Amino acid sequence: MKLKFYLIIYIVLINIIAFFTMKSDKNKAIKQKRRTSEKTLFSLALLLGGIGIYAGMFKFRHKTKHPKFTILIPFCIFLNILTIYYIFNYLN
């Protein structure tokens, strides 16, 4: 029971962080400042923050024309769903 509760809290927090990281990167791109690396963005997506990255992509119109992001982020979301399913159903 506790594991599921902590997992839900983690998923919510990592997706909020991922969403605002996309916002921050977009703002940095506009101001031509040092950017958040793609490695960091993909790492957040793989750490169960795929939905936050994907939502940020479309909310802020950022990285939506990059095939690497439009293909791999949905794949990361799929992996996130499989991971969460496994944790909820097999690790108790």
Side-chain angles (χ1 to χ4, degrees):
M1 180 67 177
K2 276 190 176 185
L3 176 66
K4 290 179 183 180
F5 174 75
Y6 290 129
L7 180 62
I8 291 168
I9 297 297
Y10 171 78
I11 291 168
V12 169
L13 289 177
I14 195 72
N15 279 287
I16 290 170
I17 290 167
F19 181 81
F20 285 108
T21 300
M22 287 299 282
K23 179 180 181 179
S24 172
D25 191 46
K26 174 66 175 193
N27 289 335
K28 289 175 186 177
I30 291 169
K31 296 176 184 176
Q32 297 180 345
K33 297 205 174 190
R34 185 172 165 93
R35 307 274 304 278
T36 305
S37 71
E38 288 185 358
K39 182 179 177 180
T40 300
L41 297 174
F42 280 111
S43 294
L44 284 169
L46 287 171
L47 292 171
L48 304 182
I51 292 173
I53 294 289
Y54 197 70
M57 283 173 57
F58 289 96
K59 172 68 177 171
F60 308 116
R61 286 190 242 147
H62 187 50
K63 305 259 188 209
T64 55
K65 294 182 180 178
H66 297 262
K68 187 188 304 187
F69 278 82
T70 57
I71 294 167
L72 291 179
I73 295 300
F75 181 70
C76 288
I77 292 171
F78 174 73
L79 291 177
N80 291 174
I81 291 168
L82 288 178
T83 302
I84 293 165
Y85 177 81
Y86 178 79
I87 290 170
F88 269 65
N89 289 301
Y90 298 105
L91 296 181
N92 238 344

